[in-house]
Amino acid sequence: MLLSQLPEDVLYHILSHLDYKSLSRLSQVCKTIYHFVNRDVVWRKIAKEFLNTGITRNGTDIYPSIPLKERVKIAQNWYDGVCKRAIPLKWKTKLLPWLQLDGNVLFLSHAADIRAYRLRPDSGRLQRNPFEIYSGHKGDVCRFVLTDSHLISGGSDGRILVHSRRRDKTLELSGHNQEVNCLDSKNGLIVSGSRDQTTRIWSLTSSCPRDTIPMYDRVWSVAISPTLRSFVTGTACCENVSPLRVWDVERSECVCSLGLEFRRGAGVLDMVFESPFQLLTCGYDTFIRLWDLRLSPRKCVMEWEEPHDSALYCIQTDGNHMIASGSSYYGVVRLWDRRQSQCLQVCGPHCVLRMGVGHSTMRL
């Protein structure tokens, strides 16, 4: 009996004992075997063992449109240091843009504008000219965030602009009197932080802030919990309080502080929720920290140190084992496996940018 004549369940069981190299060689036997081996169900077990393949620890596939075999191939190439380097866009001036990839559209800040570029379906490269430009700021765009229906940006002019992605309509949120360093938005809720030492809570239906929280320190980062019941702020750590604080959304009151041993000036520059109870942070003190919000008191359970002792400006996770951090001083991106203490991969030197798939962003 030929291998291709075996019942599918028997063939699946046989293939489950093969590694990625053996499966790749087996797919070259004939067309029938090739099409069978290329099925996602064959590669799912192997994909869970690789970083950044889009399979989370609970089994959810983040990128169902991309074949698992291709994702395993890319992940292995990253691990071996085999990659193609290409320059998608060029600037004549030195800028540090903020960018986010949503499906096949790349949103990229450029001075006071945010430009949208489509990826070419044939080559995956960016189109030369943007098909949409979101404007309105009188200064540089400091940060923006995407939702299903809106693009929300904060600028150095102290304004927050809510651009509709479905029709030509912009709502201006005025309240901050200095640059808006950070903002986050989920389900119609917007939280912003500014150099003016305040955090403001907004809704998409009103141009006035719902609440204003005095922070008595510059606010560098904010993140709304997936539960929408709380949010976390990161400040410059120039006062005698923890730079990381958890706030109740409804009452606008501080619930708790995270960590008490931060050095003065060890501000928190970025943070991201990996789950409703797990928070990753990074900042000037060169550490990536994982906080467990279920513990009492809430404390850091793991940390990773930047080996070049440089400030970490951005961080992102794939929701599984991979963590990516960016440093502008040496212009590198580091990939970390949360199961290891040492850095897994280094990319650079180049600018620190922000990109990702869907609304799960990654800066590279």
Side-chain angles (χ1 to χ4, degrees):
M1 180 180 290
L2 298 176
L3 184 65
S4 58
Q5 295 177 326
L6 290 173
E8 286 194 351
D9 56 341
V10 176
L11 190 53
Y12 280 135
H13 181 72
I14 294 173
L15 298 185
S16 67
H17 295 280
L18 301 182
D19 58 13
Y20 74 94
K21 290 183 179 179
S22 300
L23 284 175
S24 299
R25 292 176 183 139
L26 183 62
S27 66
Q28 301 175 25
V29 172
C30 64
K31 289 185 178 180
T32 302
I33 295 296
Y34 171 82
H35 291 297
F36 189 89
V37 171
N38 277 15
R39 295 180 183 180
D40 280 358
V41 66
V42 175
W43 291 88
R44 193 170 185 85
K45 179 181 177 182
I46 295 176
K48 290 182 179 180
E49 300 173 0
F50 283 85
L51 293 175
N52 200 27
T53 55
I55 303 296
T56 62
R57 281 170 290 177
N58 58 10
T60 304
D61 192 346
I62 303 176
Y63 318 126
S65 60
I66 306 175
L68 274 179
K69 179 183 177 181
E70 293 300 317
R71 284 183 263 168
V72 170
K73 177 182 177 181
I74 294 172
Q76 183 61 34
N77 286 341
W78 270 96
Y79 183 81
D80 294 336
V82 180
C83 61
K84 293 182 179 179
R85 299 191 178 188
I87 301 175
L89 293 172
K90 290 184 178 181
W91 288 271
K92 294 182 180 180
T93 58
K94 293 182 179 180
L95 295 173
L96 189 63
W98 191 262
L99 61 91
Q100 186 167 331
L101 185 65
D102 184 22
N104 66 338
V105 178
L106 179 70
F107 294 85
L108 175 70
S109 65
H110 191 282
D113 300 330
I114 300 171
R115 303 178 181 183
Y117 298 84
R118 282 197 175 95
L119 294 175
R120 296 175 182 173
D122 53 343
S123 63
R125 295 180 179 272
L126 291 175
Q127 294 181 341
R128 183 178 297 274
N129 298 317
F131 72 91
E132 185 98 31
I133 298 178
Y134 300 87
S135 58
H137 285 286
K138 297 179 181 178
D140 290 348
V141 174
C142 299
R143 186 75 61 100
F144 70 84
V145 62
L146 287 174
T147 67
D148 291 333
S149 57
H150 293 85
L151 185 153
I152 307 164
S153 60
S156 60
D157 54 2
R159 298 189 301 166
I160 299 173
L161 298 182
V162 181
H163 305 272
S164 175
R165 297 177 60 183
R166 297 171 183 168
R167 58 183 184 273
D168 187 14
K169 183 179 179 182
T170 302
L171 174 66
E172 179 181 337
L173 310 182
S174 299
H176 293 291
N177 53 37
Q178 294 188 45
E179 63 189 59
V180 180
N181 295 317
C182 53
L183 56 86
D184 195 10
S185 178
K186 286 183 176 65
N187 286 15
L189 175 69
I190 303 173
V191 177
S192 63
S194 171
R195 184 182 284 271
D196 65 7
Q197 302 186 2
T198 64
T199 295
R200 298 176 189 263
I201 304 175
W202 316 74
S203 65
L204 286 175
T205 58
S206 175
S207 60
C208 298
R210 194 187 78 185
D211 285 300
T212 299
I213 305 173
M215 303 295 294
Y216 308 106
D217 202 353
R218 290 165 294 174
V219 185
W220 291 136
S221 55
V222 296
I224 301 174
S225 169
T227 64
L228 302 179
R229 293 194 293 266
S230 63
F231 65 91
V232 184
T233 58
T235 59
C237 197
C238 293
E239 302 297 329
N240 295 323
V241 293
S242 171
L244 275 173
R245 280 176 282 179
V246 182
W247 303 81
D248 184 271
V249 169
E250 294 297 328
R251 295 178 290 132
S252 300
E253 295 180 356
C254 181
V255 177
C256 67
S257 298
L258 303 180
L260 300 173
E261 299 179 355
F262 287 91
R263 301 192 307 270
R264 185 175 180 84
V268 179
L269 296 175
D270 197 19
M271 61 178 72
V272 59
F273 273 97
E274 191 174 45
S275 70
F277 50 83
Q278 289 183 312
L279 178 72
L280 283 163
T281 64
C282 68
Y284 280 122
D285 66 350
T286 76
F287 278 92
I288 300 172
R289 290 185 172 89
L290 174 63
W291 304 86
D292 193 329
L293 304 184
R294 297 170 297 180
L295 302 177
S296 182
R298 297 165 176 85
K299 63 180 182 179
C300 175
V301 293
M302 294 184 69
E303 61 182 26
W304 299 265
E305 184 177 9
E306 161 63 37
H308 284 169
D309 198 35
S310 58
L312 298 175
Y313 284 83
C314 48
I315 189 175
Q316 192 50 246
T317 173
D318 68 345
N320 191 16
H321 296 295
M322 193 195 77
I323 302 171
S325 64
S327 167
S328 67
Y329 187 79
Y330 287 96
V332 300
V333 173
R334 295 187 185 275
L335 301 182
W336 308 79
D337 184 344
R338 57 184 297 167
R339 297 166 294 185
Q340 303 177 18
S341 59
Q342 301 297 321
C343 171
L344 183 68
Q345 181 80 25
V346 180
C347 313
H350 46 66
C351 296
V352 181
L353 306 176
R354 181 175 182 117
M355 67 184 305
V357 176
H359 304 314
S360 177
T361 59
M362 183 175 296
R363 272 155 286 186
L364 295 174

